[in-house]
Amino acid sequence: MSLLKTSLDAVEKFSAFYTGGQLQLSSDGSKLFCGCKKEIKIVDLKTGRKVSSIGQEEEEEITQFILTKDDVHLILATQNLLFRQWNWQDKSLVKTWRSVHNAPVTSLALDPSVTLLASGSADFTIKVWDIVRGYFTHNFKGHSGVIRYLTFHPDSERLQLISASEDYTVRVWDLKTSSLLVSSQCHASLVTSMAFADNGNILYSAGKDNVVCVWKTDKWKVYKTIPVFEPVISVIVPLDFPSLIDDDNVQRFITVSSTGDVRVINAETGKREYSNSCRLSDPDVDSKTTDSYIVQALYSTDLNGIILATYDENIILLSKDFTIDKQLCGHLDEILSLHFLGEKDSHVAVATNTDLLKVFNRETWECQMLQGHSDIITSLDVKDNFIVSGSKDSSIRVWQLSPDVGFITLLAMGQGHTQSVQCVCLARATARPKFILSGGVDMTLKVWTFPAESEVITPQVKLRVSCTEHAHDKDINCLAVAPNDRIIATGSQDKTAKLWSVGDNLQSLSLLAVLRGHKRGIWCVKFSPVDQIVCTSSGDGYIKMWNVLDYSCVRTLEGHDSSVLSFVFLSQGRQILSCGSDGLLKLWLIKTSECIKTFEGHDAKVWALSATSEEDYIMSGGADSTLILWKDVTEQEELDKQEKLHKQIMQEQVLSNLIVDKKFVRAMGLAISLNKPYKALNIMKEVIKQENGIQQLEKLVCKLRMDQIESVMKFAIEWNTNSRNYFPAQQLLNIILRNYLPQDLAKLSSIQSLVEGFSVYTDRHLQRLNNLLIDSHFAEYCYSCMKTSS
């Protein structure tokens, strides 16, 4: 029988690391620096995990940042017109200075020698800073729009700065003479990117006017304009071109369009020699964002690949032939459903507030973002390597994980609901499910026949509906299938749960019972893995357990302050872990209906829970856009507890032996380290009992260190509260005050509390002794009077 769980530890948290805006890449291509609200998150591209974060939460938004070419410093420009220079590796703030701009900084550039920093602002000015000496050297004015792009000429001897503004002009500034060399209106729209080629002799500039201008930098003149017929986010001149392009020493460049197309263009003829689309969503469906899909593109010479940032805050890594090498999810949005899947629970399928199905690899956090639905995916269910998803587009889809390669493929789709699908479920009895269940806003329960292997010849097989039933009077929120596939449970917003019997041929459903008792809509329903019990959770904050045989409510779990949104059975059905709108996870012992522990980790509603097959890990996700991986540490805590108990018993035995052997100094030191005040008291009483006990006690106290003196004084305060033990405490205090200087005692960290602790009860003992002395004099007086009279 498995050990009952008592403790979970949050071992990993996957939260947003990119929320739009700027990206920077380290020179070796291993670290990605991402703008995330008021911080810069640093992500390891190999593992997909956050390494660290730079920034201060109390500061204003970061408007721009740039990484120095030596990968040492990160310079941030903030909303409150400050520059902050960080050493990001040890997370130390090197210096802070004012930007001297009158509006937020919108663009930054470093010269090749990493001594000059150029900043462009929304105040239409450009300033150049000497970041080594700490002052600004140039102030360029002339643009009539916000400065959106800055770059230095790659030849550090030329000291020339190129700027582009929202006034659609490109200007070249000479830092040696502090003069404007060229002002060109070669573009009819915003310039978004520039790239140097041929050792800086050629410059490509591109923008949203669907052209690329080719400059000769010796005279700074545009000698060619190449139409590309699409808005360009980035123009790149890589070291190596894709292998399918013949190496004939012809000048070429790469454009990344805002629509998600990457193309190789011949600079001499202007022809497209190779193209590939990197869109994760269907442009026909996603027409609103077609023109702004890609927001930024970076080229890495070490990776020889391109890194793209999408409008929906995902990051795509392209290999040198422009195929998708890796996908990272920068921001999860609200997590609605999640499940472990695959061999050894290697992947996690997650439904967020998007039409893309996201499947994470647990080792690398690489995310497969799969298109298929045309609206938000509301629910998921998993059986082995199969996934079924339901969406607001009124359809369901079946996906399969290929365990050998780890890729997800779309098997089949079903269209039949008239409104949003709120919940889906797969049959449990066999490895390949027999049927699929779906329910939603149209209040109907549908049974779909799962496609056989022989039917899956072409992708997107049409699923067939075996049975449809008008199941509830309001939205169906949840579904569950019994382990033997014979009974179905449904939960609805109409406050009821219903049990249904499935016909042998899947052609019919018969109602077995209506479970009434909740005061609000039911959010989750599940069958116990071992007992004939079905469990429901509701917006009324209760979890109810119902007997499947007589349909009676056998147990109610009370503890959540708000809606219980999901739960999982653990420990062979003996425990439940639940989550709710209060952001808490609660662990219940079913036998006693007791909540044995509450776990905090989320800042908002927790919508989803899933446990691995071994139940050693549990993952939760919610409205705070965070996935938390919890580890079952019950066994480890039990082992640590046993080890600690064993160690304590051994030390107490050693302590007893030391007292018997009259090795009082060592015994006192051990009693202090074990924090045993009454063991220390017994040692002092034993010492006082010896011949010349007070002198022996004084020798013992003088051998203690100052930290041990502080500890034993804290013990003495406790002894001093009891009239039976005050004498050793007062003896100890007397010895310490006689043998230690006041200035030494004043250095003790808790000397004030020690003095206060001793004063209160010492005054009481003194008062009691004074009263005793007065009583003794009165007794002597009475005795003398009686003697005289007699």
Side-chain angles (χ1 to χ4, degrees):
M1 185 175 285
S2 62
L3 189 69
L4 285 173
K5 302 181 191 317
T6 57
S7 186
L8 300 174
D9 188 23
V11 293
E12 191 168 5
K13 182 180 286 191
F14 185 85
S15 56
F17 61 81
Y18 175 64
T19 55
Q22 196 181 359
L23 295 175
Q24 289 274 313
L25 193 63
S26 61
S27 58
D28 61 359
S30 63
K31 303 288 189 300
L32 188 65
F33 295 76
C34 310
C36 185
K37 296 179 182 177
K38 298 180 182 180
E39 294 181 296
I40 305 299
K41 304 285 187 182
I42 304 165
V43 178
D44 190 317
L45 284 178
K46 287 185 179 178
T47 64
R49 286 169 167 79
K50 284 181 291 187
V51 178
S52 62
S53 60
I54 299 295
Q56 297 170 324
E57 275 295 340
E58 67 274 8
E59 296 296 331
E60 292 188 55
E61 295 280 342
I62 296 168
T63 58
Q64 280 290 313
F65 68 94
I66 194 167
L67 179 69
T68 57
K69 292 180 181 178
D70 55 5
D71 288 345
V72 175
H73 292 109
L74 195 65
I75 300 173
L76 316 181
T78 64
Q79 191 76 31
N80 54 1
L81 309 182
L82 292 176
F83 284 121
R84 299 186 186 275
Q85 184 174 337
W86 291 80
N87 185 322
W88 68 268
Q89 292 173 336
D90 58 12
K91 298 179 74 171
S92 61
L93 182 61
V94 179
K95 58 183 175 181
T96 301
W97 71 96
R98 287 199 164 275
S99 68
V100 202
H101 285 287
N102 297 322
V105 173
T106 54
S107 56
L108 293 171
L110 285 164
D111 80 319
S113 64
V114 199
T115 57
L116 298 178
L117 172 71
S119 62
S121 169
D123 63 4
F124 309 160
T125 66
I126 302 167
K127 290 179 170 51
V128 182
W129 299 84
D130 188 323
I131 57 175
V132 177
R133 296 182 177 89
Y135 58 87
F136 81 90
T137 59
H138 298 79
N139 184 22
F140 294 127
K141 297 180 180 179
H143 282 291
S144 58
V146 177
I147 314 299
R148 287 298 180 189
Y149 193 87
L150 290 172
T151 184
F152 280 92
H153 192 282
D155 185 356
S156 58
E157 297 297 324
R158 293 181 65 168
L159 280 177
Q160 292 172 339
L161 176 67
I162 303 95
S163 63
S165 162
E166 287 185 359
D167 59 8
Y168 305 158
T169 62
V170 177
R171 294 176 181 247
V172 182
W173 311 86
D174 191 317
L175 273 65
K176 290 181 179 178
T177 61
S178 299
S179 62
L180 175 65
L181 294 180
V182 174
S183 177
S184 173
Q185 287 190 324
C186 56
H187 287 277
S189 184
L190 181 67
V191 176
T192 56
S193 178
M194 297 181 188
F196 286 93
D198 193 18
N199 297 322
N201 294 321
I202 293 176
L203 172 69
Y204 298 102
S205 63
K208 295 185 177 180
D209 56 355
N210 301 352
V211 298
V212 174
C213 294
V214 186
W215 299 65
K216 286 191 175 180
T217 61
D218 52 351
K219 296 183 179 179
W220 287 109
K221 286 189 176 181
V222 176
Y223 77 95
K224 188 183 293 185
T225 299
I226 301 173
V228 293
F229 308 107
E230 58 190 358
V232 177
I233 290 297
S234 182
V235 58
I236 299 166
V237 181
L239 295 178
D240 296 318
F241 278 94
S243 56
L244 43 89
I245 301 297
D246 296 329
D247 188 10
D248 50 8
N249 295 323
V250 176
Q251 289 187 350
R252 296 182 178 88
F253 58 88
I254 294 173
T255 61
V256 180
S257 73
S258 60
T259 56
D261 293 306
V262 184
R263 310 186 194 278
V264 176
I265 295 178
N266 188 312
E268 295 180 3
T269 63
K271 290 182 178 180
R272 297 175 178 176
E273 297 189 353
Y274 177 67
S275 300
N276 191 29
S277 176
C278 56
R279 288 188 68 90
L280 300 177
S281 57
D282 188 352
D284 296 331
V285 174
D286 204 12
S287 57
K288 292 181 181 179
T289 57
T290 297
D291 295 333
S292 59
Y293 183 70
I294 300 295
V295 295
Q296 192 180 355
L298 298 174
Y299 172 67
S300 169
T301 54
D302 283 77
L303 298 175
N304 195 23
I306 301 172
I307 297 174
L308 307 176
T310 68
Y311 82 99
D312 51 358
E313 298 162 350
N314 297 318
I315 293 170
I316 306 170
L317 281 71
L318 301 181
S319 59
K320 64 180 182 179
D321 58 354
F322 307 154
T323 56
I324 295 177
D325 187 43
K326 183 183 283 190
Q327 303 167 33
L328 298 176
C329 183
H331 183 48
L332 284 169
D333 212 330
E334 190 165 358
I335 297 162
L336 305 177
S337 181
L338 68 93
H339 289 273
F340 287 102
L341 77 149
E343 188 177 352
K344 297 181 179 178
D345 304 296
S346 59
H347 291 71
V348 184
V350 183
T352 63
N353 210 16
T354 177
D355 58 352
L356 297 173
L357 172 63
K358 297 178 181 177
V359 180
F360 290 90
N361 184 313
R362 282 178 59 193
E363 285 189 9
T364 64
W365 279 112
E366 181 181 348
C367 180
Q368 295 181 59
M369 300 177 210
L370 306 162
Q371 58 179 334
H373 287 286
S374 59
D375 207 337
I376 292 171
I377 297 174
T378 56
S379 62
L380 298 173
D381 193 29
V382 167
K383 177 70 171 71
D384 295 337
N385 293 325
F386 295 103
I387 309 169
V388 61
S389 59
S391 166
K392 286 188 176 181
D393 62 8
S394 309
S395 71
I396 69 168
R397 278 170 167 75
V398 180
W399 316 76
Q400 185 176 13
L401 170 68
S402 301
D404 49 348
V405 293
F407 289 125
I408 306 291
T409 54
L410 179 59
L411 284 188
M413 62 171 291
Q415 193 81 40
H417 286 277
T418 57
Q419 289 178 275
S420 170
V421 178
Q422 294 285 82
C423 48
V424 288
C425 188
L426 287 166
R428 320 307 296 179
T430 55
R432 189 178 184 90
K434 291 181 180 179
F435 58 88
I436 306 164
L437 300 175
S438 65
V441 179
D442 59 5
M443 299 173 283
T444 60
L445 170 63
K446 290 185 181 291
V447 182
W448 309 75
T449 304
F450 197 88
E453 285 190 62
S454 58
E455 296 177 12
V456 187
I457 301 171
T458 59
Q460 298 188 23
V461 173
K462 299 294 182 183
L463 293 172
R464 298 190 306 273
V465 177
S466 300
C467 179
T468 300
E469 189 75 35
H470 187 280
H472 286 272
D473 298 328
K474 288 186 179 180
D475 301 1
I476 300 175
N477 290 334
C478 50
L479 292 168
V481 181
N484 62 1
D485 285 353
R486 302 297 299 171
I487 300 176
I488 294 170
T490 59
S492 169
Q493 203 64 31
D494 64 6
K495 308 176 189 176
T496 66
K498 293 184 180 181
L499 297 179
W500 308 80
S501 176
V502 185
D504 293 332
N505 55 3
L506 303 179
Q507 298 295 320
S508 63
L509 290 172
S510 55
L511 181 63
L512 297 177
V514 179
L515 308 178
R516 291 186 173 91
H518 285 292
K519 298 176 183 177
R520 292 198 178 175
I522 294 173
W523 284 110
C524 187
V525 58
K526 285 184 181 175
F527 285 90
S528 169
V530 291
D531 296 321
Q532 292 181 327
I533 293 291
V534 65
C535 191
T536 57
S537 68
S538 166
D540 59 10
Y542 297 145
I543 302 172
K544 289 183 178 290
M545 308 186 75
W546 312 81
N547 191 319
V548 177
L549 299 178
D550 60 9
Y551 314 121
S552 62
C553 179
V554 295
R555 207 172 292 277
T556 300
L557 308 181
E558 303 178 29
H560 282 279
D561 296 329
S562 54
S563 302
V564 184
L565 301 174
S566 185
F567 61 87
V568 290
F569 281 95
L570 299 173
S571 308
Q572 297 177 350
R574 292 177 292 160
Q575 289 181 289
I576 283 178
L577 181 69
S578 62
C579 62
S581 297
D582 50 11
L584 302 176
L585 275 67
K586 288 184 178 288
L587 184 62
W588 305 84
L589 184 61
I590 293 176
K591 186 176 181 180
T592 60
S593 303
E594 177 189 3
C595 176
I596 57 178
K597 203 152 191 181
T598 299
F599 305 98
E600 297 183 18
H602 290 276
D603 300 326
K605 292 178 182 178
V606 185
W607 281 108
L609 280 177
S610 182
T612 59
S613 53
E614 297 292 327
E615 295 183 2
D616 51 346
Y617 288 97
I618 293 159
M619 187 169 281
S620 61
D624 58 356
S625 307
T626 302
L627 289 172
I628 298 180
L629 186 65
W630 305 84
K631 184 179 180 181
D632 177 17
V633 293
T634 303
E635 190 173 348
Q636 185 61 44
E637 282 193 355
E638 192 64 28
L639 290 173
D640 292 343
K641 186 178 177 181
Q642 293 294 334
E643 185 179 349
K644 185 177 179 181
L645 183 61
H646 180 261
K647 185 178 179 181
Q648 185 177 354
I649 292 171
M650 293 296 294
Q651 287 177 328
E652 288 184 359
Q653 183 60 49
V654 170
L655 181 59
S656 300
N657 294 341
L658 289 172
I659 295 173
V660 171
D661 296 340
K662 297 185 179 180
K663 297 179 180 179
F664 297 120
V665 177
R666 287 180 60 192
M668 180 63 77
L670 185 56
I672 292 170
S673 64
L674 291 174
N675 195 28
K676 298 282 186 183
Y678 286 98
K679 282 285 185 182
L681 176 63
N682 292 333
I683 293 168
M684 289 191 63
K685 287 180 177 179
E686 285 292 326
V687 173
I688 293 171
K689 286 181 185 176
Q690 306 296 316
E691 187 177 352
N692 299 322
I694 301 301
Q695 289 84 351
Q696 294 290 336
L697 181 62
E698 188 168 359
K699 287 180 181 179
L700 185 152
V701 172
C702 291
K703 290 180 180 180
L704 298 178
R705 302 189 306 270
M706 287 306 293
D707 61 321
Q708 292 177 322
I709 290 292
E710 185 174 5
S711 298
V712 82
M713 285 179 74
K714 290 178 182 177
F715 293 169
I717 290 174
E718 194 172 337
W719 308 336
N720 201 38
T721 59
N722 192 323
S723 59
R724 291 177 297 178
N725 299 326
Y726 83 94
F727 180 70
Q730 293 298 324
Q731 286 287 354
L732 176 69
L733 183 61
N734 184 13
I735 291 169
I736 290 173
L737 293 176
R738 281 193 289 106
N739 287 276
Y740 290 90
L741 295 173
Q743 52 265 37
D744 293 333
L745 294 175
K747 294 177 182 177
L748 298 177
S749 59
S750 57
I751 186 63
Q752 184 176 352
S753 61
L754 290 173
V755 172
E756 291 172 354
F758 267 114
S759 299
V760 177
Y761 283 93
T762 301
D763 286 343
R764 291 186 186 180
H765 297 320
L766 182 61
Q767 185 67 39
R768 196 175 76 254
L769 289 173
N770 286 335
N771 292 337
L772 185 62
L773 183 62
I774 292 170
D775 290 345
S776 67
H777 287 314
F778 181 70
E780 186 178 352
Y781 169 74
C782 291
Y783 173 72
S784 61
C785 289
M786 291 167 63
K787 188 175 179 181
T788 303
S789 61
S790 63

